[in-house]
Amino acid sequence: MTKKIIISEFMDEAAVQWLAQRFDVVYEPDLCERLEALSALLVDADALIVRNRTQVNAQLLACQTRLQAVGRLGVGLENIDLAFCRQQAIEVIPALGANAAAVAEYVICCAMQLLRGAYAASSEVAAGLWPRERLINGREIGGKLLGVVGLGSVGRITANLAQAIGMRVVAYDPSLDAEHSIWQTVGCCAELDQLFREADVVSLHVPLSDSTRNLVDARRIGLMPEGAILINVARGGVVDEAALATAVLRGKLAGAAIDVHVQEPLPPGSALADVPNVILTPHIAGVTAESNARVSHFIAQHVAEKLNRSATPQ
């Protein structure tokens, strides 16, 4: 019997075709919005491939009878009920490291934009205005201190890129002991508050958990130097969005880049809507043409390996 794979969100077409040559594949990128249809398709599916919008929980999987794997086109697993999957002997496969370079580039690009502050003036210049006086005090990224919160694969590549363009880097990651080799090249902050007091740019790279929810609250934002920048490519719940908006509006922070949000898409009246010097993007820091291909082929190959192993007599 041919194994069946359901893909509920967008995936690189070449990876989809590679799977379709080997398995019975149902690829409908909007299935994440049609949960009844998705649940019905999972009744006899062997694998499910998702991004971050599909909520893989007991309700969705209630009718499945033979699911063996959930492939995650990314690394965050907050949308997957890991305990339930373990209970059902369903292997969860994240694309570890496959989009790290894209996220790191996003961080450095946003830091440059927000520090320089000159790249949103095109319409004024084209209209014959000349906002030169307002824009001549932009800041260079070289020599600035980047504080990296979380030194997983993304945090480490971000630190490397930052150092390559002349930034100094400090980091906070309590999961790494003091003897870890990373501290030979990156400054270690023993306390998170210390990092927030010192860094010109803070970049967040932690999963959302009970310990990281509202990790960056009004108090911690208040520790940051005047004119600092905050970049969140972790998860929306890590940052108190209302406190961040207030800090930018009052001039405490020079700006922020937020790719992940408490509610996605943003609801009407979001605290960060229309706040100047805030870059808002729709959870795409890790998605480029290149990273989508890498992530998609990584998951395609690993899901195929899982299904092929299970089909081999022991």
Side-chain angles (χ1 to χ4, degrees), residues 2-6 23-24 26 41 44-47 66 307:
T2 304
K3 302 277 184 158
K4 180 178 177 181
I5 300 175
I6 309 301
F23 304 98
D24 177 11
V26 177
L41 286 167
D44 60 349
D46 298 282
R66 66 186 202 208
L307 296 185

Side-chain angles (χ1 to χ4, degrees), residues 176-245:
L176 302 178
D177 62 52
E179 305 305 315
H180 197 284
S181 60
I182 191 69
W183 304 126
Q184 296 176 18
T185 55
V186 174
C188 177
C189 278
E191 299 292 336
L192 184 58
D193 284 359
Q194 176 191 353
L195 181 147
F196 274 81
R197 288 190 184 97
E198 296 178 357
D200 300 297
V201 179
V202 174
S203 185
L204 306 175
H205 305 274
V206 295
L208 182 62
S209 64
D210 290 342
S211 63
T212 62
R213 191 175 300 278
N214 282 330
L215 184 74
V216 184
D217 55 10
R219 183 193 69 81
R220 200 155 265 145
I221 291 172
L223 299 176
M224 298 175 73
E226 295 287 327
I229 302 294
L230 179 69
I231 300 175
N232 187 13
V233 290
R235 285 295 180 267
V238 173
V239 174
D240 182 330
E241 294 177 350
L244 174 61

Side-chain angles (χ1 to χ4, degrees), residues 109-307:
C109 178
C110 288
M112 286 181 164
Q113 286 182 276
L114 291 165
L115 285 168
R116 191 65 184 263
Y119 305 116
S122 294
S123 59
E124 294 176 77
V125 174
L129 303 177
W130 207 246
R132 193 168 188 269
E133 184 175 348
R134 188 181 86 237
L135 300 177
I136 59 175
N137 291 316
R139 293 173 289 168
E140 299 176 7
I141 201 167
K144 297 297 182 294
L145 181 64
L146 172 67
V148 178
V149 182
L151 275 176
S153 59
V154 177
R156 295 183 194 195
I157 295 176
T158 301
N160 290 340
L161 284 181
Q163 290 171 327
I165 57 174
M167 295 189 83
R168 298 171 293 125
V169 180
V170 295
Y172 172 82
D173 193 326
S175 70
L176 302 178
D177 62 52
E179 305 305 315
H180 197 284
S181 60
I182 191 69
W183 304 126
Q184 296 176 18
T185 55
V186 174
C188 177
C189 278
E191 299 292 336
L192 184 58
D193 284 359
Q194 176 191 353
L195 181 147
F196 274 81
R197 288 190 184 97
E198 296 178 357
D200 300 297
V201 179
V202 174
S203 185
L204 306 175
H205 305 274
V206 295
L208 182 62
S209 64
D210 290 342
S211 63
T212 62
R213 191 175 300 278
N214 282 330
L215 184 74
V216 184
D217 55 10
R219 183 193 69 81
R220 200 155 265 145
I221 291 172
L223 299 176
M224 298 175 73
E226 295 287 327
I229 302 294
L230 179 69
I231 300 175
N232 187 13
V233 290
R235 285 295 180 267
V238 173
V239 174
D240 182 330
E241 294 177 350
L244 174 61
T246 298
V248 175
L249 287 169
R250 291 179 177 175
K252 166 67 176 177
L253 300 186
I258 307 297
D259 183 56
V260 288
H261 312 272
V262 173
Q263 184 175 335
E264 298 179 355
L266 268 67
S270 168
L272 292 170
D274 302 320
V275 178
N277 301 322
V278 172
I279 298 171
L280 299 177
T281 50
H283 206 144
I284 47 76
V287 185
T288 61
E290 295 87 353
S291 73
N292 183 39
R294 287 194 302 270
V295 165
S296 297
H297 284 271
F298 180 102
I299 291 301
Q301 290 170 1
H302 282 75
V303 167
E305 288 171 7
K306 168 65 178 177
L307 296 185

Side-chain angles (χ1 to χ4, degrees), residues 47 65 79 90 93 108 192 197 259 307-308:
T65 58
N79 60 312
I90 300 169
I93 306 171
I108 299 303
L192 184 58
R197 288 190 184 97
D259 183 56
L307 296 185
N308 290 333

